[in-house]
């Protein structure tokens, strides 16, 4: 269900910075028009509410905005900047992640921000779905996690650990060994938490996947939730903030009442799709609440954009392969959002 990010597409272009006055005027016009429609959720938090997290200046969305500015597609460029100018997670899903981790956390530190990273390499990842892959075996994964953690150094980061890994086992993943997977996740939590100022959120699926949250309790405990800072919900999915928060509170209560959580709000502005394959590039969706730690909920640590808006869920509904940038889909998400 969850996807890695798209590959680098080349160097940034400076075109969108050539007309700052024009950009400001057009942005104001577009925002006034957007105020009359779109998601009320996305209006809750402005970009200024998220001073903690780093914005990658070389994201696919940023490069797309640059390209469209250069082509004179000004309205489209401004819409895509609703994605490009907000912090999003960096997904680590290739071998030897340490150098990339180090580069990202150091870039964030220079900017006075904190990097948001996703560790996505567990064996039998995505259970033969669109984003299948991962480590060859348990030993390979332990080496990978050690390299990831070493890359963090003493800088610290927010790490979302293995989207879907626990929920897939609970729902049924025939090719994976449950005991081995849970032991690997527990090892990953322990290893990452050795790094100073690193927060680790173990993924716990979403509110629609395992409706009875009690089924997750034993697997999460076996996977190291007690040592983690909390759990992550709604990664790459579309359930509303309210539905996800309610689910999070119920799950936290089942875990003993003191666990915190984060919610992926990247694409949930219009809530879930009612048709088939609701998780895979569903039509009519919108950007959700911008990333912020100002949630107004003591147990909810942050709304985050973990799934990078505009990256495909897989080759469904005409989309490219999982994790690749899809500008038309990104534009639709931005057009339907408010704020």
């Amino acid at each position: 269900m969850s996807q890695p990010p798209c590959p680098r597409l080349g160097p940034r272009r400076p075109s969108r910075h050539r007309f700052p006055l024009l950009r400001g005027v057009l942005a104001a016009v577009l925002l006034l028009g957007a105020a009359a429609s779109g998601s009320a959720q996305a209006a809750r938090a402005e970009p200024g509410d998220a001073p903690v997290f780093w914005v990658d200046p070389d994201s696919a969305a940023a490069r797309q905005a640059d390209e469209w500015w250069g082509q004179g597609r000004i309205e489209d460029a401004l819409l895509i900047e609703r994605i490009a100018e907000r912090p999003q997670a960096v997904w680590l899903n290739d071998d030897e992640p340490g150098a990339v981790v180090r580069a990202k956390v150091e870039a964030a530190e220079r900017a006075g921000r904190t990097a948001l990273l996703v560790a996505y390499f567990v064996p039998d990842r995505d259970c033969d779905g669109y984003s299948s892959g991962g480590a060859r075996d348990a030993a390979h994964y332990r080496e990978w996690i050690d390299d990831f953690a070493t890359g963090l150094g003493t800088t610290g980061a927010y790490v979302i650990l293995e989207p879907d890994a626990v929920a897939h086992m609970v729902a049924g993943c025939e090719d994976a060994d449950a005991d081995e997977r849970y032991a690997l996740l527990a090892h990953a939590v322990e290893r990452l938490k050795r790094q100073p100022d690193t927060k680790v959120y173990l993924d716990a699926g979403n509110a629609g996947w395992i409706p009875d949250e009690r089924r997750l309790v034993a697997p999460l405990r076996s996977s190291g939730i007690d040592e983690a800072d909390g759990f992550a919900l709604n990664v790459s999915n579309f359930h509303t903030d309210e539905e996800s928060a309610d689910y999070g509170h119920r799950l936290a209560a089942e875990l003993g009442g003191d666990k915190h959580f984060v919610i992926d709000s990247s694409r949930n502005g219009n809530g879930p799709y009612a048709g088939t394959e609701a998780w895979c590039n569903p039509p009519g969706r919108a950007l959700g609440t911008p990333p912020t730690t100002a949630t107004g909920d003591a147990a909810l640590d942050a709304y985050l954009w973990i799934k990078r808006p505009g990256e495909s869920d897989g080759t469904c509904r005409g989309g490219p392969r999982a994790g690749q940038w899809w500008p038309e889909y990104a534009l639709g998400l931005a057009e339907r959002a408010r704020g």
Side-chain angles (χ1 to χ4, degrees):
M1 284 189 176
S2 297
Q3 301 79 33
C6 60
R8 289 173 58 92
L9 300 177
R12 292 286 306 280
R13 294 172 54 184
S15 56
R16 70 191 178 105
H17 302 294
R18 292 177 182 168
F19 310 104
L21 180 59
L22 177 60
R23 289 179 67 234
V25 172
L26 288 170
V29 172
L30 285 175
L31 288 174
L32 283 173
S37 62
S39 166
Q41 292 176 337
R44 280 193 208 140
E46 294 300 321
D49 290 334
V52 173
F53 302 109
W54 176 62
V55 177
D56 184 354
D58 194 37
S59 69
R63 292 193 296 273
Q64 189 68 73
D66 286 352
E67 179 180 336
W68 283 348
W69 271 98
Q71 294 173 353
R73 292 179 59 176
I74 295 170
E75 183 173 346
D76 289 344
L78 286 168
L79 285 168
I80 289 299
E81 285 184 353
R82 295 183 180 181
I83 299 173
E85 295 182 351
R86 284 168 173 156
Q88 302 158 55
V90 175
W91 290 60
L92 285 302
N93 50 78
D94 291 327
D95 229 338
E96 300 179 353
V100 177
V101 170
R102 186 175 303 109
K104 299 302 182 182
V105 298
E106 288 179 354
E109 184 179 40
R110 288 193 296 272
R113 301 289 182 96
T114 299
L116 173 62
L117 309 175
V118 178
Y120 193 51
F121 203 65
V122 73
D124 297 306
R125 183 184 70 202
D126 205 31
C127 295
D128 294 325
Y130 286 123
S131 298
S132 60
R136 294 185 302 273
D137 52 32
H140 185 201
Y141 186 71
R142 290 189 181 94
E143 292 173 0
W144 188 88
I145 279 292
D146 187 64
D147 191 37
F148 187 115
T150 300
L152 291 169
T154 60
T155 304
Y158 277 52
V159 179
I160 309 301
L161 183 60
E162 298 298 345
D164 301 345
V166 172
H168 258 314
M169 294 308 308
V170 175
C173 183
E174 294 181 1
D175 293 335
D177 180 273
D179 290 340
E180 177 184 88
R181 175 168 290 191
Y182 298 153
L184 289 176
L185 293 173
H187 169 74
V189 172
E190 185 276 330
R191 180 63 187 88
L192 292 167
K193 285 301 296 178
R194 291 185 212 167
Q195 305 306 124
D197 300 320
T198 295
K199 287 185 172 291
V200 178
Y201 294 90
L202 180 61
D203 190 75
N206 62 71
W209 196 353
I210 311 293
D212 182 359
E213 68 280 351
R214 292 170 296 183
R215 296 176 61 200
L216 289 164
V217 172
L220 286 172
R221 289 203 185 283
S222 296
S223 300
I225 191 64
D226 291 339
E227 286 70 44
D229 293 274
F231 53 90
L233 294 174
N234 205 48
V235 174
S236 299
N237 219 281
F238 303 87
H239 294 279
T240 65
D241 292 344
E242 291 80 7
E243 185 179 8
S244 295
D246 180 67
Y247 188 81
H249 283 290
R250 297 200 317 265
L251 179 54
E254 294 293 338
L255 288 167
D258 61 347
K259 277 298 164 189
H260 288 211
F261 57 94
V262 296
I263 292 172
D264 185 351
S265 59
S266 57
R267 305 183 299 173
N268 70 351
N270 283 340
Y273 179 60
T276 59
E277 282 197 305
W279 60 271
C280 194
N281 300 325
R285 302 311 92 195
L287 300 175
T289 302
T292 181
T293 56
T295 69
D297 183 330
L300 175 53
D301 287 348
Y303 295 108
L304 302 172
W305 284 10
I306 301 171
K307 169 69 177 182
R308 297 167 75 92
E311 292 182 0
S312 177
D313 295 315
T315 53
C316 56
R317 296 188 168 95
R321 67 177 177 82
Q324 283 209 334
W325 174 250
W326 188 4
E328 294 81 11
Y329 197 81
L331 194 60
L333 291 170
E335 284 175 334
R336 299 181 199 103
R338 186 168 75 184

